[in-house]
Amino acid sequence: MANTSTRTLRLLSLLQSHRYWPGAELAERLGVSPRTLRRDVDRLRELGYPVEAQRGVDGGYQLAAGAALPPLVVDDDEAVALVVGLQTAAQGPVDGIAESSVRVLAKVVQVLPRRLRHRVDALRAMTVPASWRGGGVDPGVLTTVALACRDAERVRFTYTAANGTRTDRHAEPHRLVSLGNRWYLVAYDLVRHDWRSFRVDRLTSPAATGERFSPRELPAADAAEFVRRNLDNLYRAYDVEVLVHAPAATVRERIGRWCTVEEAGGSCRVRMTAESLDWPTMALGVVGADFEVVSPPELAEQVRDWGARFSRA
C-alpha cells in the first residue's frame, strides 16, 4: 500500500509538471504497466483530481481545471520559490493580496522541512526588497503570529511603543490586519485586560505558548474597523489636497494606488489621507511635476523645508 501511495504522489507530481503526458512515456517514468497506470489515474480521480485521458496509440493524460482546487504537489525548488514569493507579496502594495499571502504562507511554512527553511532564510538574507510598504516586517514574525491567530493559541512577545518603551506582552491573538502601509495585530492583552492593536513592525520575538483559548467577542464589527478606530484616537489624520500640473493618467500610474486622482483641465487634483506628512511629500516628489498645495498648510511648510534642505545638500 505504501508503494502504491508513493507512486500515486509521483504520478500527481508528473502530471503537474507537464501539460500533457503520452501514456507510454508516463508509464515508463513510473516503472509500471499501462494497466497499472490506468488504475493509478482512477485513484487520483477518486481523490478529486480531474485527470483527462485521450485514447488511441498516441493517447495520454493531462490534468484539467476542476470545480474546486485540489491539493498541489511541489518539489523542493518550487517550495522555496513559493515561500519567498509569498513573503514578498505579504509586504507588497497590491490591495487584497497581503492578508491572503500571509494566510497561505503560514500553511506552507508549517509543513516546510528544516532543510528548506534554511534555504529560504539564506535567500531572504541575501535579497534586498524594493517595497513601498512602511515599517518593514520580518515574514517570520508574520508567520508565527498568523499561526497563533489561526490556532487560537496565546503568544508572548516584546513590544516597543512609539516613545521607545519596551514591554513584555502576553496576549490572545485575534486577527492580522493589513491597513495602509502597515501590519497590525488585533489581540486581547492578558496583562492589561483589554483589547489592543499592535504594530507588527514594533513587535519582536513572538512565541506561541501552547496555551489554547476560547475566542472573546471583539468590541467592533471586524478587526479592520477596530484598528481604524484606534488609529483615529492615536493620530491626527491629515486630509491632503494638491493640484498637480501633469496629466491624470501619469499621476495615477506613479502614485494612484495610494490616493485619488481627478482630472482638472490640463492638471489633476490629488487627494489622500495620511497620519504623517512625510509620505505625501515623498509621493509628490515621485510624480516629478510642479504642484500647488491646497491643504493642509502644514504640508506647504514641510515641502518648503524639504526643498531648502535639498538645496543645501
Side-chain angles (χ1 to χ4, degrees):
M1 184 64 184
N3 184 51
T4 301
S5 300
T6 301
R7 192 175 64 244
T8 303
L9 287 174
R10 173 63 176 158
L11 170 60
L12 178 58
S13 179
L14 289 171
L15 287 172
Q16 290 176 343
S17 65
H18 285 281
R19 181 172 178 82
Y20 179 80
W21 281 96
E25 183 178 349
L26 190 56
E28 182 180 352
R29 292 289 292 267
L30 293 170
V32 299
S33 67
R35 182 178 180 181
T36 300
L37 174 59
R38 287 193 294 272
R39 286 201 299 266
D40 289 346
V41 168
D42 289 338
R43 189 172 294 108
L44 282 179
R45 289 168 176 161
E46 291 173 359
L47 293 173
Y49 294 92
V51 183
E52 293 183 348
Q54 293 185 12
R55 301 186 181 279
V57 178
D58 298 324
Y61 300 92
Q62 67 180 24
L63 275 178
L69 179 66
L72 302 177
V73 175
V74 296
D75 60 26
D76 286 3
D77 291 338
E78 291 167 341
V80 171
L82 179 62
V83 172
V84 173
L86 288 170
Q87 289 175 346
T88 302
Q91 296 177 295
V94 183
D95 291 341
I97 294 297
E99 293 186 48
S100 300
S101 299
V102 169
R103 290 199 301 271
V104 178
L105 182 62
K107 294 177 183 179
V108 176
V109 168
Q110 187 179 30
V111 297
L112 200 66
R114 185 178 299 275
R115 69 179 188 282
L116 297 187
R117 293 190 189 192
H118 290 324
R119 288 177 57 183
V120 170
D121 291 341
L123 182 58
R124 182 159 52 87
M126 297 305 296
T127 303
V128 178
S131 172
W132 283 99
R133 293 185 70 83
V137 178
D138 182 350
V141 171
L142 279 175
T143 303
T144 299
V145 175
L147 285 171
C149 290
R150 187 198 68 177
D151 298 335
E153 188 174 354
R154 290 173 176 168
V155 292
R156 292 186 183 276
F157 54 87
T158 300
Y159 191 70
T160 304
N163 62 6
T165 303
R166 292 169 62 88
T167 54
D168 293 328
R169 302 298 184 103
H170 186 202
E172 294 177 350
H174 178 70
R175 289 288 187 276
L176 278 169
V177 176
S178 174
L179 190 62
N181 61 347
R182 300 193 188 280
W183 278 102
Y184 297 88
L185 167 64
V186 175
Y188 186 84
D189 192 316
L190 293 168
V191 176
R192 290 157 178 77
H193 303 289
D194 198 7
W195 287 92
R196 293 285 191 272
S197 61
F198 302 95
R199 266 180 48 178
V200 180
D201 59 304
R202 294 178 177 169
L203 186 154
T204 55
S205 305
T209 64
E211 303 171 85
R212 297 299 175 90
F213 63 89
S214 298
R216 304 171 190 260
E217 184 177 353
L218 182 69
D222 55 42
E225 179 187 314
F226 181 81
V227 173
R228 289 192 189 97
R229 191 169 65 197
N230 283 358
L231 290 177
D232 288 342
N233 293 334
L234 288 173
Y235 302 104
R236 174 184 175 183
Y238 292 95
D239 292 321
V240 173
E241 183 178 346
V242 179
L243 186 65
V244 179
H245 301 300
T250 300
V251 177
R252 287 194 188 98
E253 180 182 354
R254 296 182 180 179
I255 62 171
R257 66 183 63 172
W258 299 287
C259 61
T260 60
V261 182
E262 301 173 357
E263 297 277 359
S267 302
C268 62
R269 196 170 300 276
V270 175
R271 293 187 175 92
M272 66 179 79
T273 300
E275 63 189 52
S276 166
L277 292 176
D278 290 343
W279 163 241
T281 305
M282 289 189 291
L284 290 169
V286 169
V287 170
D290 292 339
F291 60 87
E292 301 171 33
V293 175
V294 178
S295 65
E298 295 93 333
L299 177 59
E301 294 174 9
Q302 175 156 308
V303 169
R304 284 192 290 270
D305 179 59
W306 280 34
R309 229 178 308 152
F310 285 138
S311 297
R312 292 193 298 267

